[in-house]
Amino acid sequence: MSDLELQQRKVLNLFERVSQPFSPKPNITFEFPDFVSDWVFLQSPTDFSPKPGLVPPGSASTDGLNIPELDLVKTIPRGRLFSNFHPGHREAAYTLVKIFKDVPTVAGMLNLAAHPDVRDAVNEHIFVYALSAALIQRKDARSLRLPPIYEIFPGKFFETKVRSEAQTSVQQQKEPAIKQPIIIDKNFAATNRVVENRLSYFREDLGKLHNCFVYIVRKNHVVHFISQGINSHHWHWHLIFPVEATGEIINPPDRRGELFYYMHQQILARYDAERIANGLARVTSYHDWDEPIIEAYFPKLTNANGAIHWASRPAGLVLKDINIPDEGVELGIEFQIQNLELWRTRILHAIHKGSVVKANGEVVQLDETTGTNTLGELIEASQWSADKLFYGDLHNFGHIAVCYIHDPDRSHSENMGVMGDSVTAMRDPIFYRWHKFIDSLFQQFKATLNPYTAQQLTLEGITVNNVEVRRNASPNNPGLNPPKNLIITGWQESIVELDRGLDFSSLRPVQARVTHLQHEDFFYRIQVTNSTKTTQEIVFRIFLAPIADEAGRPFSFREQRLLMIELDKFVVRVTPGANRVKRKSDDSSVTIPFERTFRDLEAAAPATPLAPGGVPTDLPTDRMTNFCGCGWPDHFLVPRGAPNPGMPFTLFAMATSWEEDRVVNGEDTKKLCRNAASYCGVLDEKYPDKRPMGFPFDRPPDKMMTTLAKFVEKSPNMKTTEIRIQFEDRIIRRFPQQ
Ligand code: CUO
């Protein structure tokens, strides 16, 4: 086994059954490095008894580990829920990230992670968060892959009864039993009498594709590539863009605050499209905090051993001041709803004055280049907020206030609700209403900017003559050409393996079958004329938006621009004269196509190091380069649409100049985690587009532009087409497009 394979197996081993005491696998030895003994200078709180696979270094004491900062990490005990919106929880988690990152080598870090004073003593959610963050952030760990979060913590994705069904199935069946997956009801959180439950396929999406993307990676090794779900994406996004500096990350990732705005704005646009498709009104902002929350949410989730549940929120609760004492079981937190109101007022004041004031009195203008980013850091609020004391912690404390709304002083000893954890927050309807309020602050800022000028919107010499979507003929009906401008969606069933995240072991895989949305693959065909005399590199920006609301009333352009969903952004060369551009849907710049499971990672542990920049040297296609985990799930690239004859959407394409928009990064254009750059940026690099995120729809247009058609007719480099998305309430199969 190569060093790299060994390290990959150690990562998987460490993430397996994290709520249970650590058990090294046969053939894997974690040898505590010598530096551990340097840190042992006090009695350890943990009784360390060596066990097979855990080997202390020759001369080191076996008394245990005492890194002073570990005391801070352990302020959140094992078995408790973890909130990355809670400043105390974050501090504990980031402290462990730093401890991991400070270990000189990856091998040393993994060995340290296995130490009983870490793996078995630290809160399991914090352990997973910190080791994942360290593995992503360490440049020397880029060859290693993280298993999917839903396999590490199935309790955050599947209802409680799935665990007991799994246990029963393990007890009843003897090896070699036929695998009988547990069926997950896609509407498990509520009945169809709850109208909001029409959207549960979106909010509670896990999403896996087990059958459609199968590539032979290496001789004798077949790997299933699995699309992550919406909730996994959200977890990865917050993992990659932490609220505070961790370790040597002193400066925030490029345009971090703007990405906070844009990624969440796009979630809202996508959610609204799903709501309209289901006959519901667009999501409303939750800004009147005296108003009862009418949407209830009962998550039915528990941790691995079923002992701790995420709290429910019945309809009609009102936000209360939060006053949670530090009871020794988790860190306390105290703030008042009037703090949120004060911070909102100060932020709005800054927006309308056009500037924020730093703690040292320096005035920072909210200009059109950096204003959104400055506001993003301020509103979220991150360490890079201009003045966290003055502008507060609005967004994060909103999550906290809602997640403790049912027991705001914990006098009933209840746990938090799902809004407290970035893995689970998107399950709750109130997430979207809270973020609609957050987005409204950004939109108020955008409204202070001048509309884009004709010069900013046009591209001399380039005319987009037509844009359309097409599908290839089905392999079953090769002679039948599908109609153009029609996208088909439906359901797909996929298999999820649960056993690595349960609190009991099984000799065979414990599987569950989930049903999730899927779309047939399609491609864009764009006809573009280059009337200049030279070849041009142009950026195509592709968006999609519903045409009318749930009652069939057509949207004005001011409404529709907020519903624009970015589908893709890519660069092409166009020669003088007429050009035809084809682009496949699964190459989208917003999605990642797959994620690899524990089992796949074990079967195909990397045998060779990655080339500089993280590109596997022996994989057949550049689509394999994405393992970072952040990216919108491919199976949700387009909204569900409506049954026959489908739901009408506007497809929009715009060409801009790559010469003007490009951002000069390093020479290596195949950097890790580039595939989903639109919502996730590029790891270690600048955001690869100079234009504001969401351009050209991020600002209100000139008031004369009352319809999208008027906006487009002034710019030959833009084109729209009406398409339909037709939902078929059946299991569909995807087939690759050539
Ligand atoms: Cu992603 Cu509020 O920021 O959940």
Side-chain angles (χ1 to χ4, degrees):
M1 196 187 300
S2 71
D3 282 355
L4 199 56
E5 277 179 301
L6 178 62
Q7 285 186 5
Q8 180 66 67
R9 285 176 201 280
K10 284 186 171 183
V11 168
L12 298 174
N13 198 171
L14 286 163
F15 281 127
E16 210 170 303
R17 294 191 181 83
V18 286
S19 57
Q20 297 297 300
F22 185 49
S23 170
K25 295 256 189 201
N27 306 327
I28 299 183
T29 301
F30 290 86
E31 184 171 344
F32 303 134
D34 286 333
F35 67 83
V36 165
S37 60
D38 297 338
W39 284 341
V40 179
F41 52 82
L42 289 172
Q43 279 299 310
S44 161
T46 302
D47 176 25
F48 172 43
S49 322
K51 50 184 167 181
L54 293 175
V55 180
S59 58
S61 156
T62 57
D63 288 346
L65 184 61
N66 198 308
I67 303 170
E69 296 82 7
L70 269 178
D71 289 345
L72 179 59
V73 179
K74 291 176 191 168
T75 48
I76 318 296
R78 280 177 75 73
R80 303 298 304 175
L81 303 183
F82 163 68
S83 171
N84 49 342
F85 302 109
H86 184 307
H89 289 207
R90 266 204 314 266
E91 192 181 357
Y94 292 173
T95 302
L96 188 57
V97 176
K98 185 169 181 323
I99 290 172
F100 283 149
K101 287 177 66 182
D102 282 348
V103 181
T105 62
V106 177
M109 177 180 77
L110 298 177
N111 287 336
L112 173 66
H115 194 286
D117 263 358
V118 180
R119 173 61 168 72
D120 293 351
V122 163
N123 176 284
E124 60 272 34
H125 305 277
I126 288 182
F127 177 83
V128 168
Y129 180 94
L131 189 55
S132 303
L135 284 164
I136 287 173
Q137 290 175 22
R138 286 186 75 123
K139 290 201 167 75
D140 56 356
R142 294 282 161 78
S143 300
L144 300 172
R145 318 277 183 255
L146 300 176
I149 189 71
Y150 48 77
E151 287 197 351
I152 301 173
F153 287 123
K156 297 191 185 195
F157 293 85
F158 301 112
E159 62 178 323
T160 309
K161 73 173 190 187
V162 169
R163 181 192 165 276
S164 49
E165 282 182 31
Q167 194 163 25
T168 308
S169 102
V170 167
Q171 284 163 352
Q172 287 176 349
Q173 296 189 41
K174 298 191 182 74
E175 198 69 12
I178 299 167
K179 287 187 246 170
Q180 287 292 344
I182 298 161
I183 312 295
I184 310 280
D185 178 0
K186 67 181 187 299
N187 297 318
F188 73 75
T191 66
N192 57 13
R193 295 196 301 277
V194 178
V195 290
E196 290 294 328
N197 201 41
R198 292 182 202 165
L199 275 298
S200 60
Y201 67 93
F202 182 95
R203 290 195 310 263
E204 291 167 358
D205 174 58
L206 168 71
K208 296 189 41 141
L209 317 176
H210 221 284
N211 303 318
C212 51
F213 289 119
V214 180
Y215 296 89
I216 295 173
V217 171
R218 199 175 290 122
K219 229 178 173 180
N220 304 327
H221 276 157
V222 177
V223 175
H224 303 277
F225 291 97
I226 291 164
S227 172
Q228 67 167 356
I230 284 175
N231 290 289
S232 305
H233 159 68
H234 191 240
W235 139 261
H236 275 284
W237 193 95
H238 282 280
L239 188 67
I240 289 168
F241 298 104
V243 175
E244 283 149 39
T246 57
E248 82 271 12
I249 293 195
I250 304 301
N251 297 315
D254 186 45
R255 293 169 72 180
R256 184 194 169 289
E258 188 178 1
L259 260 175
F260 169 77
Y261 141 73
Y262 185 55
M263 195 281 289
H264 290 91
Q265 187 275 334
Q266 284 287 288
I267 287 176
L268 292 170
R270 289 173 172 279
Y271 188 59
D272 272 343
E274 300 294 343
R275 293 182 69 85
I276 294 165
N278 283 279
L280 298 179
R282 286 163 286 164
V283 72
T284 54
S285 159
Y286 175 51
H287 55 262
D288 180 352
W289 302 324
D290 295 327
E291 164 203 345
I293 298 174
I294 52 170
E295 297 87 357
Y297 188 65
F298 294 75
K300 302 177 181 60
L301 301 178
T302 55
N303 69 351
N305 61 13
I308 303 267
H309 65 276
W310 275 263
S312 297
R313 193 188 61 254
L317 297 192
V318 180
L319 282 193
K320 298 260 174 40
D321 295 344
I322 299 297
N323 185 9
I324 296 173
D326 181 355
E327 296 163 332
V329 290
E330 64 182 71
L331 291 175
I333 184 167
E334 181 188 356
F335 61 91
Q336 297 172 345
I337 301 308
Q338 69 178 22
N339 291 128
L340 302 184
E341 287 163 352
L342 179 65
W343 296 336
R344 169 172 61 185
T345 302
R346 288 173 175 173
I347 290 168
L348 284 169
H349 183 273
I351 288 169
H352 295 129
K353 281 289 182 191
S355 60
V356 299
V357 183
K358 285 181 155 180
N360 63 7
E362 187 189 333
V363 176
V364 180
Q365 295 303 322
L366 293 175
D367 61 27
E368 59 178 43
T369 312
T370 60
T372 314
N373 193 59
T374 304
L375 272 180
E377 302 291 15
L378 196 81
I379 292 169
E380 188 184 359
S382 76
Q383 172 182 329
W384 300 282
S385 163
D387 185 349
K388 202 157 175 177
L389 185 64
F390 187 76
Y391 296 107
D393 208 340
L394 181 61
H395 156 266
N396 294 326
F397 276 25
H399 275 268
I400 296 290
V402 173
C403 84
Y404 285 119
I405 192 171
H406 54 284
D407 192 13
D409 57 3
R410 286 203 83 229
S411 52
H412 295 275
S413 304
E414 263 296 276
N415 304 309
M416 67 184 192
V418 293
M419 270 286 273
D421 185 340
S422 60
V423 184
T424 54
M426 290 181 67
R427 308 176 83 80
D428 188 335
I430 196 64
F431 170 93
Y432 303 87
R433 295 195 59 204
W434 177 247
H435 269 277
K436 187 73 180 172
F437 157 66
I438 294 294
D439 189 62
S440 74
L441 300 174
F442 290 104
Q443 297 304 338
Q444 290 190 61
F445 167 64
K446 292 284 186 181
T448 67
L449 303 177
N450 291 326
Y452 288 115
T453 62
Q455 202 241 333
Q456 288 169 307
L457 293 171
T458 52
L459 179 57
E460 190 71 32
I462 300 292
T463 302
V464 179
N465 309 102
N466 190 38
V467 57
E468 62 191 27
V469 290
R470 285 181 174 267
R471 289 171 293 140
N472 283 340
S474 155
N476 302 332
N477 282 307
L480 197 68
N481 260 337
K484 67 180 182 181
N485 295 327
L486 178 66
I487 296 173
I488 302 293
T489 64
W491 301 115
Q492 182 167 350
E493 290 182 332
S494 299
I495 298 297
V496 184
E497 290 189 3
L498 304 175
D499 42 313
R500 316 295 178 111
L502 296 172
D503 62 326
F504 49 87
S505 55
S506 165
L507 293 172
R508 58 175 186 78
V510 179
Q511 297 186 325
R513 191 162 74 211
V514 296
T515 305
H516 58 85
L517 192 72
Q518 185 54 280
H519 61 87
E520 287 188 3
D521 281 327
F522 59 90
F523 58 89
Y524 311 98
R525 184 174 284 164
I526 304 171
Q527 286 169 355
V528 52
T529 303
N530 174 1
S531 47
T532 73
K533 292 194 165 50
T534 55
T535 296
Q536 306 283 325
E537 283 192 303
I538 59 175
V539 187
F540 270 111
R541 299 163 189 276
I542 313 284
F543 288 86
L544 180 81
I547 288 174
D549 69 11
E550 73 284 3
R553 180 188 62 87
F555 288 122
S556 69
F557 185 35
R558 282 181 173 267
E559 292 171 303
Q560 198 183 20
R561 77 170 183 90
L562 296 173
L563 298 167
M564 284 288 177
I565 294 167
E566 183 174 335
L567 291 184
D568 206 350
K569 182 161 56 181
F570 55 94
V571 180
V572 291
R573 294 163 74 90
V574 289
T575 53
N579 290 258
R580 214 150 90 149
V581 175
K582 180 179 175 182
R583 170 85 168 179
K584 291 188 291 183
S585 61
D586 57 9
D587 287 334
S588 165
S589 66
V590 305
T591 59
I592 56 167
F594 43 73
E595 192 171 31
R596 299 209 276 188
T597 63
F598 267 105
R599 196 165 300 278
D600 294 333
L601 288 166
E602 238 169 36
T608 50
L610 303 188
V615 183
T617 52
D618 62 340
L619 299 185
T621 154
D622 64 352
R623 293 183 69 243
M624 305 292 185
T625 60
N626 189 322
F627 298 104
C628 116
C630 184
W632 190 251
D634 178 74
H635 63 273
F636 257 111
L637 174 63
V638 293
R640 195 201 75 166
N644 194 359
M647 173 170 161
F649 284 83
T650 303
L651 180 71
F652 169 90
M654 175 185 196
T656 58
S657 160
W658 180 230
E659 186 63 31
E660 286 173 27
D661 298 349
R662 82 181 306 165
V663 172
V664 179
N665 272 314
E667 287 303 300
D668 185 358
T669 56
K670 290 185 175 174
K671 283 281 184 179
L672 198 64
C673 305
R674 177 176 286 280
N675 283 14
S678 289
Y679 296 170
C680 297
V682 181
L683 199 59
D684 303 330
E685 290 202 348
K686 291 193 166 161
Y687 191 79
D689 181 7
K690 268 191 198 150
R691 304 270 186 165
M693 296 176 199
F695 173 85
F697 298 115
D698 63 304
R699 292 186 200 171
D702 183 283
K703 59 178 181 304
M704 300 307 290
M705 305 288 179
T706 49
T707 63
L708 179 61
K710 285 187 181 169
F711 182 71
V712 168
E713 81 188 9
K714 304 262 185 214
S715 304
N717 55 319
M718 298 180 193
K719 195 74 186 170
T720 57
T721 299
E722 183 174 326
I723 70 164
R724 282 180 299 121
I725 301 182
Q726 184 171 310
F727 168 64
E728 301 193 354
D729 194 3
R730 61 178 173 83
I731 302 296
I732 61 167
R733 295 189 70 80
R734 288 179 67 167
F735 54 91
Q737 303 289 291
Q738 296 101 35

